[in-house]
Amino acid sequence: QRSLRAPISAADAMESADARPRSRSRSRSRSRSGGRSRRGEQRNSKENSAYDSHKASNSVSALMRGSLGRRRGREKPAEEDLEWGKREEKVEEAAEETVVKEKADFGLSGALAKDEKTGNTRNGVVLKFVEPPDAATPSERWRMYVFRQEELLETLHLHRKSSYLAGRDPSVCDIRLLHPSISKQHAVLQYRNKQLDGDGGVAVTPYLMDLGSTNGTFLNGERLEAARYVELLEKDVVKFGESSREFVMLKEDAKAR
């Protein structure tokens, strides 16, 4: 049978032959480039997913470390408190304990007033002593005769009330002393009830107490212990500070020596 196709010339055959290889080359190059791009996208997506998972795991571990530190009582220090190149130092605040020293309780042997709460004030000045519960006004007329060497300077009448304060402060002192070595509130003469031996009676007796003076109070040449009552007897000699004056304790009917 005869072919129905039209005869093909040699030139046409060469053109068709040249065209087919070129079209296959382009399609192969396109397929190769497409494969490479798809593989690159897959690789990038895997790297991104790995980075995201690593970041998420780091965030979770940081949260766990923070919660664990808070449970243990540790807090992460602020950035401004840290310095580069130095380790973190633990700062522990030492609790300051206030040590309160107990003051001496002199009881009935002689209590010193501490502040205005005691109510023992005179002319707005807090006195350094508090009268004991057994304080009393004497029935006998006691006197203090003041001597300088053998010269009698004055006589003090000390029987009208239960206590007499001696010192340099004129606003509160009953026995005014002028020597610069004497404190403002130097000593106190206090009358107290004293139990008598035998019959069980009571006698109002004079006592002397130093109020913590700087230069001391002296009885018959011996310095008295501060804040302690000492009984006075007739003809006892009292001196205050470095003053040369002598105060002799006597009753009204006795003669001063």
Side-chain angles (χ1 to χ4, degrees):
Q1 294 179 353
R2 290 184 181 180
S3 175
L4 298 176
R5 295 179 179 178
I8 301 172
S9 63
D12 293 337
M14 291 296 292
E15 288 179 3
S16 60
D18 294 336
R20 280 192 295 272
R22 281 198 295 271
S23 62
R24 281 197 299 271
S25 176
R26 290 195 194 96
S27 63
R28 289 175 183 172
S29 64
R30 290 196 190 100
S31 63
R32 290 175 183 172
S33 62
R36 291 195 194 99
S37 62
R38 283 194 296 273
R39 286 194 295 272
E41 291 175 357
Q42 291 176 358
R43 189 182 301 110
N44 291 336
S45 63
K46 289 180 180 179
E47 291 176 355
N48 291 335
S49 62
Y51 174 79
D52 293 338
S53 62
H54 179 68
K55 185 177 180 181
S57 64
N58 288 340
S59 301
V60 172
S61 61
L63 290 174
M64 291 178 67
R65 286 195 299 272
S67 60
L68 181 59
R70 286 191 294 273
R71 284 198 299 270
R72 292 181 179 176
R74 298 177 301 184
E75 294 292 339
K76 185 177 179 181
E79 292 182 358
E80 57 269 15
D81 296 336
L82 300 179
E83 298 182 5
W84 291 103
K86 291 186 178 180
R87 293 183 179 181
E88 177 184 347
E89 296 180 357
K90 296 181 180 180
V91 180
E92 297 180 357
E93 297 180 356
E96 296 181 358
E97 298 181 358
T98 304
V99 179
V100 180
K101 295 184 178 180
E102 295 184 358
K103 296 183 179 180
D105 184 9
F106 301 110
L108 298 182
S109 64
L112 301 185
K114 298 177 179 62
D115 51 35
E116 294 181 359
K117 293 181 181 179
T118 61
N120 193 24
T121 60
R122 184 184 300 175
N123 297 329
V125 179
V126 179
L127 301 182
K128 288 186 175 182
F129 73 100
V130 178
E131 288 196 75
D134 59 356
T137 302
S139 57
E140 296 178 304
R141 297 177 180 271
W142 287 92
R143 304 284 186 265
M144 261 192 174
Y145 297 90
V146 185
F147 289 87
R148 183 169 56 193
Q149 296 180 356
E150 295 184 356
E151 179 186 1
L152 178 62
L153 300 178
E154 60 179 322
T155 302
L156 304 176
H157 299 264
L158 306 175
H159 65 278
R160 295 183 177 91
K161 57 182 184 175
S162 60
S163 64
Y164 290 84
L165 179 61
R168 287 190 301 106
D169 191 345
S171 62
V172 294
C173 291
D174 306 296
I175 304 173
R176 180 75 188 281
L177 305 173
L178 302 178
H179 198 274
S181 66
I182 296 173
S183 301
K184 290 183 177 181
Q185 297 183 44
H186 196 98
V188 61
L189 174 66
Q190 178 71 59
Y191 291 99
R192 303 175 63 181
N193 285 321
K194 178 184 177 182
Q195 296 289 335
L196 298 178
D197 297 334
D199 58 358
V202 177
V204 180
T205 307
Y207 289 82
L208 185 65
M209 180 175 68
D210 182 83
L211 299 177
S213 62
T214 302
N215 296 302
T217 302
F218 300 86
L219 177 60
N220 299 326
E222 295 184 5
R223 182 166 181 166
L224 298 181
E225 182 182 355
R228 295 290 177 183
Y229 281 119
V230 178
E231 182 180 355
L232 290 178
L233 304 176
E234 280 195 277
K235 298 184 179 180
D236 277 345
V237 180
V238 179
K239 294 184 69 175
F240 301 99
E242 298 176 1
S243 174
S244 61
R245 295 190 178 192
E246 295 180 340
F247 296 75
V248 181
M249 195 72 178
L250 288 171
K251 294 180 182 179
E252 184 182 30
D253 55 354
K255 291 184 178 181
R257 54 184 172 83

